[in-house]
Amino acid sequence: MTTPTHDAAQRAIALRAEIAEHNYRYHVLDDPSIPDADYDALMRQLEALERAHPELVTADSPTQRVGAAASADFGKVRHEIPMLSLANAFEVVDAADDRERFPDIVDFVRRIETTLGVTQPAFSVEPKLDGLAISLRYENGQFVRGATRGDGATGEDVTANLRTIKSIPLALRGAGWPPVLEVRGEVFMPRAAFEAFNAAARERGDRTLANPRNGAAGSLRQLDPRVTAKRPLAFYAYSVYLPPDAEASLEPTHSQSLQRLREWGFPVCPEVDTANGFDGLIRYYRRIGERRDSLPYDIDGVVYKLDDYEGQRTMGFVSRAPRWAVAHKYPAQEQMTQLLDIDVQIGRTGAVTPVARLVPVEVAGVVVTNVTLHNADQIARLDVRVGDSVIVRRAGDVIPEIVRIVPERRPEGTQPWTMPTHCPVCGSALEKVQKVKRQTKAGIEYEDSVAWVCSGGLFCPAQRKEAVFHFGARRAMDIEGLGSEWIDDMVELPFIRRDGVARPLAGPADLYYLTLDDLTELRRLSQEREGHVPETVRKGKVATRWAENLLESIDRSRATTLERFLFALGIRDVGESTAKTLVRWFGGLDALMNASADDLRQVPDIGPVVAGHILAFFAEPHNREVVARLREGGIHWTEAPPQQAASGVLAGKTVVLTGSLESMERSAAQEQLEALGAKVSGSVSKKTSFVVAAPGAGSKLEKATELGIEVWDEARLVAFLADHGAGS
């Protein structure tokens, strides 16, 4: 009978092998065979085994990629084989033909043909990744050391940091590798990962990375590998070397060596190819150039390498660069220009975005005149001021951005930028958004976020489409037939004619004053904009039927509930549940509109942030005017006396619904539970009284089980509602 330790050791070996296989399929073959959740489950099993039996941990275990303790500095590594740079070749603009446009490539190919006495030599060709060159040393198939290029002769030892990159194999696959092997390649940050990292940093108010290359280089030079482990880095191998005293190359050609590296577990750029002669190189240059913006990583050119190793040895080196390879560069993706002004734009939801106005500059083939600055905190971090010289970057499909200023060119007398106090579109106050920092026993703590919003939600023309769409939604005023396409037309086309003047829809209140003639004119203008006006639009009942239906739906919505109306107004953080709480507490709209901050803070579950949003909304004169006009347009409801404590058999209970109910709509179940005094929440916590789990219940059910919270099935819910007079 085997001992438990032996069983654990065998299981650990099997898990490491299985995880290594999945890493190979994911990073090298780009063909994962299991979903991320299953991969994570395997990792958790291995981590648990190694925690229980620390003696089982090996240097090549995938659990060891999390990063070791911080180092005081980096040691120096002398490269046995120098890491040389490449000569650069550029394009001559407005040349007559390809040989005049690319003279450096003509000379490069001619020199090889003359020296080797060949025509149409074969090259290995690949994108020139914009990252950080590194060297990896393997002994007996195990990764033992990694270093940066440095000055070519000596680099920095960044082994601990490189071990955190999942695409770098810690142990080689297969067999046949030499006792000592050096693999070189590029550490880079994929574009999508870079954008996601920066978006999260901006949300937290942290410093963002200037560009993917700087992000990769800075991540590898972190003294604490645990920081590197949190960065989304990747690696592609592009060359292989044996020790200087080795008698032969790995394979006869460079392209064959790259294939061997793939078999041993190294990811190789999928765009690597071969090409023959000058024409083949230029075709590859153009092919990759056309795809440059859609590639998942940044490149600044392509690299041509003579494929035959024997030919490479014959060509030799000149100065610090090989004579058998060259980097063919694309136009720069960063340029310097001057910042003329900083404006703010108001989005559909009221979000405020600062925008830099620039002296036009061409970056990567596109003329850039405006660049988003994301938020005021980003401006402060960059210390961007009107009049500054700035570096603008555009990579691929990424929106152009300012990555840094040029401080030595700053004019005298410049001042730090400050956020305007009022919306440039409607004049309403701009306010900074607050978010929850933490929840303690003493209550909820809030902090400022990086976002600003315009408080004139119902009035602001910039927010008009979003305001009308939300107002007419099913759970708000439920105006059937008011789709997004018609809303677009309503706020863009001058279809309302009053006092001889035609104008578009100004906001939700205008809906209740529309006529059949208005909507018929809207339909005509919409069709005209598309280039045709059907006969049925000019005359005929078919053309007006849709308008009659919409007017009927608008008319039906006039009789509503205060909860729906309050939710429809679109006050920040006032959802359906909060609207119901406010109505139950205050009874009527006037009482809510005139409530003070102290009044609002007494309402259960209304914190200072939500109270602030309500106060700001009703303090804005424009919003009050729109509310008054809506009521004048016939919107009405039945008000009830204030009920400042919930009543019913479920008073004081918090309920969570999860899964897909089969016997009723979830909204109907929520209404019936709330009618019995319950608060229906969207998340499970220790305060949850019970969870109703219908078919398809997922994480909420799991959390309820973990916390020991009572769980009902749908049959029990239906029976309970029927017993208490709330059944459907």
Side-chain angles (χ1 to χ4, degrees), residues 276-289:
N276 291 88
F278 172 81
D279 292 335
L281 296 184
I282 300 308
R283 281 195 297 270
Y284 182 78
Y285 173 83
R286 290 201 168 107
R287 188 176 90 213
I288 297 300

Side-chain angles (χ1 to χ4, degrees), residues 296-591:
Y297 42 77
D298 273 4
I299 64 172
D300 57 5
V302 292
V303 175
Y304 311 138
K305 300 174 183 176
L306 186 64
D307 200 26
D308 178 61
Y309 281 140
E310 186 61 37
Q312 289 185 12
R313 284 188 281 271
T314 300
M315 293 302 301
F317 300 85
V318 56
S319 183
R320 297 174 59 84
R323 299 176 71 241
W324 44 265
V326 68
H328 196 173
K329 304 296 282 289
Y330 290 118
Q333 292 184 300
E334 291 187 354
Q335 295 289 354
M336 183 172 67
T337 188
Q338 186 180 22
L339 191 151
L340 300 174
D341 202 359
I342 299 177
D343 300 332
V344 294
Q345 290 182 345
I346 310 299
R348 288 172 60 114
T349 62
V352 180
T353 304
V355 177
R357 308 300 180 189
L358 308 172
V359 172
V361 61
E362 184 171 329
V363 187
V366 174
V367 176
V368 178
T369 56
N370 304 315
V371 172
T372 177
L373 289 166
H374 299 291
N375 52 60
D377 288 37
Q378 176 79 347
I379 295 174
R381 280 195 297 273
L382 293 171
D383 190 24
V384 178
R385 306 182 184 186
V386 174
D388 274 344
S389 292
V390 295
I391 303 299
V392 179
R393 175 179 174 79
R394 177 187 176 272
D397 292 328
V398 177
I399 297 172
E401 63 178 345
I402 293 174
V403 294
R404 62 185 182 278
I405 64 167
V406 185
E408 60 270 22
R409 298 174 66 95
R410 169 170 285 170
E412 293 184 5
T414 61
Q415 297 296 320
W417 183 83
T418 57
M419 180 68 73
T421 57
H422 289 80
C423 173
V425 179
C426 71
S428 301
L430 300 184
E431 57 180 12
K432 196 166 191 180
V433 176
Q434 287 189 305
K435 61 182 180 180
V436 175
K437 182 178 182 180
R438 66 174 66 91
Q439 187 166 359
T440 66
K441 292 181 179 179
I444 300 175
E445 295 182 22
Y446 296 89
E447 63 181 353
D448 286 343
S449 75
V450 298
W452 287 72
V453 294
C454 167
S455 62
L458 287 178
F459 175 80
C460 183
Q463 303 175 62
R464 194 174 295 158
K465 290 182 183 179
E466 189 70 20
V468 174
F469 183 81
H470 175 77
F471 188 87
R474 184 170 64 87
R475 293 187 175 182
M477 299 303 290
D478 193 18
I479 302 177
E480 188 176 350
L482 188 64
S484 59
E485 291 184 4
W486 284 117
I487 292 173
D488 288 346
D489 286 344
M490 285 179 174
V491 301
E492 293 170 4
L493 300 175
F495 72 105
I496 302 173
R497 187 168 294 279
R498 302 287 187 272
D499 302 324
V501 178
R503 61 175 179 80
L505 196 79
D510 276 1
L511 293 170
Y512 294 90
Y513 299 86
L514 293 177
T515 67
L516 185 61
D517 287 343
D518 291 334
L519 295 181
T520 303
E521 175 68 2
L522 174 68
R523 180 69 173 268
R524 187 190 67 79
L525 291 173
S526 177
Q527 295 286 345
E528 190 175 76
R529 184 167 62 175
E530 294 176 6
H532 62 281
V533 184
E535 184 72 16
T536 54
V537 174
R538 293 195 297 269
K539 57 184 179 180
K541 293 184 178 180
V542 176
T544 61
R545 186 57 190 162
W546 72 274
E548 293 167 354
N549 290 340
L550 179 56
L551 290 173
E552 289 173 6
S553 182
I554 292 173
D555 187 56
R556 284 195 302 271
S557 74
R558 286 183 166 91
T560 187
T561 65
L562 180 53
E563 292 93 335
R564 281 182 173 270
F565 181 73
L566 194 57
F567 173 60
L569 294 181
I571 305 169
R572 290 184 63 81
D573 292 333
V574 176
E576 294 173 87
S577 179
T578 301
K580 291 174 182 176
T581 299
L582 291 167
V583 171
R584 187 165 52 237
W585 187 268
F586 289 100
L589 181 60
D590 292 334

Side-chain angles (χ1 to χ4, degrees), residues 142-156:
Q142 299 290 315
F143 174 50
V144 296
R145 190 182 68 208
T148 63
R149 181 198 301 274
D151 62 3
T154 303
E156 293 178 314

